[in-house]
Amino acid sequence: MNIVGELALWTALPVAVWGMALGFMGGRNGRGDLVLSAERAVYATLGLSFLASLGVIDLFLNDRFDYWYPAAYSSRDLGTFFKVSGLWAGQRGSLLFWLLLLNVFSAIAVWSNRRKNREFMPYVIGVLMTIQTFFLVVLLFAEVNPFERLGFTVADGQGMNPQLQNYWMTIHPPTLYLGFTAFTIPFAFAISALLTGRLDSRWITVTRKWILLSWFFLSNGIVFGMRWAYEELGWGGYWFWDPVENASLLPWLTATAFLHSIQIQETRGMLKVWNMGLVIGTFLLTIFATFLTRSGLIESVHTFAENLTIAWIFLGFMFASAAVGLVLVLYRLPKLRSESRIESFLSRESAFLFNNLVLVAATFAVMWGTLLPLLSEGFMGQEIAVGPPFFNRVNLPIGLFLLFLMGVGPVIAWRKASARNLRKNFVWPTSVGLGTGAILWAIGIRHGMALLTFATSAFVMTTIVVEFWKGTRARARIEGEGWLKAFYHLIARNRRRWGGYIVHVGVVMIFTAFAGAPWNTDIEQTLEPGQSAEITSPFGHTYRLTYEGLSTNINDRAQNLRWQLVALMSVEQEGERVGTVQPEKRQYFVGGNRDPNTGNATEVGIRATPYEDLYVILASVPQIETGMSLNDPSAQQAHFRIMIKPLVGLIWSGIMVLSVGGLIGLWPATEKPRAAKSSPGGRRAVAAAGD
Amino acid sequence: MEILGALLLIGAVVAYLLLPILKGETALLHRDFEEITEAEARRRIALLALRDAEYDYHMGKVDQADYTKLKGRLAAEALEAIRAVDGVDDADLEREIALVRAGMRDGRACGSCGHLNPPGSRFCAACGLALAPPTPAGSA
């Protein structure tokens, strides 16, 4: 299998080059046979990269430690599940995995458009195969071939980084990669639109679902990463403005801007150049994110620095793509003129425009902070890094303004809203927002930023609820339907808009959770069994945690654990027993000749409620660390960090609400009958318009 | 054995790629006649704008006066778009826009995309969604 896999990878390169060349040639010369062959090249590379991926998984499952990649990332003891996830655990495999996902999406895009949008397809295939060629060149020539042989066999692999042996870490990278690769399809259609000169909104209509799909995966991928950091890194946070976190946030920000601005192009024929800029920019940022994560250029928790050849190849590709995009946009500038203008400052268009400017500003701010260490070292020979305070200071006001716009946008009419109507429509939301702020102030909340966030969140939630209510009422009136039916039809008939509002609800929940951070409380205490620690929640009640004792689990091969220490604590809230938490310290078998201490991991104990998390870290077990045997029952003293994280749960429930809204927007139309053509007196039927 | 399989694989890929060129099979290169054209897309957007304006008005986002003005202008845009698609002469236009308005009410105009379907349609020919059943006269 591994030989077939390796050969498949080498075969994929000429096939991709073939598809690229024939796609462009066939499109330019109108040669249908060349285009058909190029289409087949798309399916062929899918098959080949699938075989190559199977080959890599086969290396992991069979403990082929005569190959570099499994020797560096696996070990004999690793569970089967994590062995399969070895495909994306390290740089080499994840580049192949990226290619595989891109292939899957390319094949779906080509297959689903085999009878429609044909004038775009030759160039779409050409662009997709160019990107595939790039990844294949990287895989085969940048010293990152996952099939590289060692020339000798090591007894055991070095093992997987224990921090990666976590459920969230197993699904976080694939979800992000799905988001990154799905965005390649809109990019390919955009370039194709520029090449063919068909620059109406067609390319957007065709790829709208892809844009939403990509955004959906990016949002989930980012939050999965937060969840992983929260559970696994053991410092009580979920976001640290780490370069790689930022790298995944950047395309999300521009994709969010794009999702909004395409609506203006579709309805008003405006912002065509801007949208081209956003689609090209977002694509580049997805490549940039992959590059940052997988090139080892910037040190971060995600980096497994290996070599820099790959960095130069990535940079070259990004510059080339940017240059091609820029030249094409300039060349087509006459055809990208707006069909209309913004009629009034008070209109939904201008609210969308604001949203876009703010999101792009956030993108630049985050990018600047991320690249500053690199740039300062390159140009001044001295590394200047900016920490979370910089990012927070810049992005908090930006986020707050976005939140505010989220409440304003839906209420303003398209084209032109009158001030009188605005006043009327904002009476309720503003009162609720101000009222919320006043109540929170009255009960003693003085943190300005948080107060503003809570009040604005209340304002936005009210506009959304009112919007649903008024929409239902309007539909009931216009179509003469009952309330329930009108509500259902309201959403079903314009899923993008109303699904979008549900997404907004999720975003508001997540923002509210962020605003709970100022009330994070923590204490540190060393306890003997039977002793207790007390911590008072910002909500007023007091938790009493009693340390019941330490249990040890040694040599658990099934879980790949050298040892595991589990501290049991019972939790009382206001004197009433409510449950237990079990923070752990673990050491994994790391195999090979690595320092066994690198296998130390912290598993936090979390007791989650809808309004706050009790978060307990087993910071250290002093006696064991100073050499006492794990089996010694007197080695029980433990050092704990106990924290209360108000509102954190809203992030995880918020992403679920957001996903529901996203799915409503993504849900395919139920049936597509085309039989209406010959009805008497009927006009010519118009076939499916891409959604 | 594995090497033989590998060679077979390469052979199969090459044959799969070359056959269309050798046998002259072709892929479609042009727009399917059923596909929406640029003019049709514009018509659809114009109708959607009409619908949005109506909802905005009923949801209290636009004044009566603004709405009347806006509706007049949007209707004119819609008419122009319809003319571009169908090439109907001016005499038909008023009837056409009346049809659109009626269609919005009796459920033939798609609530999702604004496409006007032939009478008796149960699904929108443009986007495939189920159409609302006609509302009995007088109950609206």
Side-chain angles (χ1 to χ4, degrees), chain A residues 183-199:
Chain A
F183 205 86
T184 310
I185 308 296
F187 170 75
F189 270 91
I191 296 295
S192 178
L194 286 168
L195 285 169
T196 54
R198 183 169 179 191
L199 290 160

Side-chain angles (χ1 to χ4, degrees), chain A residues 161 246 398 432 530:
Chain A
N161 183 340
N246 294 348
I398 290 179
V432 173

Side-chain angles (χ1 to χ4, degrees), chain A residues 417-431:
Chain A
S418 67
R420 203 168 57 81
N421 281 91
L422 275 189
R423 271 198 297 277
K424 205 173 75 188
N425 284 321
F426 279 120
V427 168
W428 271 106
T430 314
S431 322

Side-chain angles (χ1 to χ4, degrees), chain A residues 1-4 7-8 11 15 18 22 26-27 30-37 39-41 43-44 48 51 114-119 122 198-202 205 208 265-268 339 343 348 410-418 420-422 424-425 466-468 470-471 473-475 477-481 485 489-490 492-495 497-498 501 669-674 676-677 679-689 691, chain B residues 1-3 5-7 9-10 13-46 48-49 51-64 66 69-70 73-74 77 82 85-86 88 96 99-101 103-107 109-113 115-119 121-136 139-140:
Chain A
M1 193 64 232
N2 53 313
I3 292 179
V4 173
L7 186 90
T11 315
V15 174
W18 175 269
L22 266 67
R31 288 271 305 271
D33 54 342
L34 303 190
V35 175
L36 186 63
S37 181
E39 260 177 35
R40 290 185 167 197
Y43 302 134
L48 291 167
L51 282 177
R114 66 197 181 283
R115 280 193 246 293
K116 50 186 185 180
N117 306 312
R118 294 307 305 177
E119 73 253 56
R198 183 169 179 191
L199 290 160
D200 59 335
S201 298
R202 181 69 183 164
T205 315
R208 209 162 61 191
Q265 178 166 348
E266 281 183 286
T267 51
R268 306 294 316 278
E339 289 157 31
E343 291 167 36
R348 193 175 294 171
V411 182
I412 301 191
W414 284 107
R415 287 162 191 267
K416 187 171 185 298
S418 67
R420 203 168 57 81
N421 281 91
L422 275 189
K424 205 173 75 188
N425 284 321
V466 169
E467 193 69 10
F468 269 95
K470 282 188 174 168
R473 195 182 57 178
R475 172 137 197 131
R477 206 178 285 166
I478 296 171
E479 316 290 348
E481 294 172 342
K485 198 170 164 196
H489 279 161
L490 184 74
R493 297 295 161 79
N494 198 345
R495 290 182 317 245
R497 173 183 301 175
W498 298 96
Y501 290 158
T670 41
E671 286 180 57
K672 295 195 174 184
R674 298 180 179 211
K677 255 180 297 188
S679 325
R683 59 174 60 248
R684 189 158 65 86
V686 182
D691 50 349
Chain B
M1 187 61 216
E2 206 163 10
I3 290 176
L7 288 175
L9 179 76
I10 293 179
V13 169
V14 170
Y16 179 62
L17 292 183
L18 287 180
L19 270 179
I21 299 172
L22 297 176
K23 288 172 71 181
E25 287 175 72
T26 65
L28 270 173
L29 281 180
H30 301 289
R31 175 181 303 153
D32 188 340
F33 74 98
E34 286 188 333
E35 211 165 279
I36 193 164
T37 62
E38 217 167 309
E40 282 165 340
R42 205 159 284 156
R43 185 187 66 138
R44 195 175 132 177
I45 286 163
L48 274 177
R51 182 197 60 167
D52 277 347
E54 188 171 11
Y55 269 87
D56 278 351
Y57 170 61
H58 280 278
M59 289 168 79
K61 293 178 192 172
V62 206
D63 277 335
Q64 169 86 54
D66 277 348
K69 238 190 305 178
L70 188 62
R73 216 182 60 209
L74 288 176
E77 275 174 28
I82 291 167
V85 175
D86 296 334
V88 284
E96 192 81 18
L99 266 177
V100 170
R101 303 294 306 144
M104 285 201 161
R105 218 162 286 276
D106 68 17
C110 176
S112 170
C113 69
H115 177 69
L116 187 64
N117 295 285
S121 302
R122 287 176 52 219
F123 295 95
C124 176
C127 71
L129 274 182
L131 295 167
T135 314
S139 72

